[in-house]
Amino acid sequence: MADLRESLRAIGSDLVIRRGFPEVIIPKLAKQLDISAVHYHCEVTDEELQVEAALKAALDSLGVTLKSFWGIPFIILMICRSKLANYLNCLPVFGNR
């Protein structure tokens, strides 16, 4: 982690590591660092959706925008990169196109 932090600092960024509930930790960071928006990868399970709703409520109270996006998890791409066409064909969104 120290090496990653130093690499990021060398390009003008940083690494922040916190332990706790996202709906508690992220609003604290947003306030501390004067963040105007938080971007995150969408999730689909009930527990994750509950966390997203709690996070949105906490960030709304601070005037911080919560913006989601969809993607393919990195680990799936690593496993399937040589068979990506087959992988995409098995997904309903991409199948039969």
Side-chain angles (χ1 to χ4, degrees):
M1 289 295 144
D3 185 49
L4 176 57
R5 176 174 279 142
E6 291 306 314
S7 296
L8 289 169
R9 286 179 176 170
I11 60 170
S13 189
D14 207 344
L15 176 66
V16 177
I17 300 172
R18 297 290 185 269
R19 180 179 291 174
F21 296 104
E23 62 272 29
V24 174
I25 299 296
I26 294 172
K28 286 181 182 178
L29 280 173
K31 190 172 183 179
Q32 177 186 0
L33 301 174
D34 195 29
I35 292 171
S36 61
V38 172
H39 297 256
Y40 71 99
H41 187 276
C42 289
E43 299 296 343
V44 296
T45 68
D46 185 58
E47 181 181 355
E48 292 161 331
L49 295 175
Q50 289 176 22
V51 169
E52 288 176 16
L55 179 58
K56 181 173 182 355
L59 292 175
D60 281 351
S61 71
L62 299 174
V64 177
T65 302
L66 184 63
K67 180 68 178 160
S68 64
F69 65 92
W70 281 99
I72 298 173
F74 180 70
I75 189 69
I76 292 174
L77 288 178
M78 292 299 293
I79 293 168
C80 300
R81 69 178 176 189
S82 65
K83 300 178 184 178
L84 188 56
N86 290 337
Y87 173 73
L88 294 177
N89 285 333
C90 74
L91 296 174
V93 172
F94 296 102
N96 300 323
R97 284 192 179 184

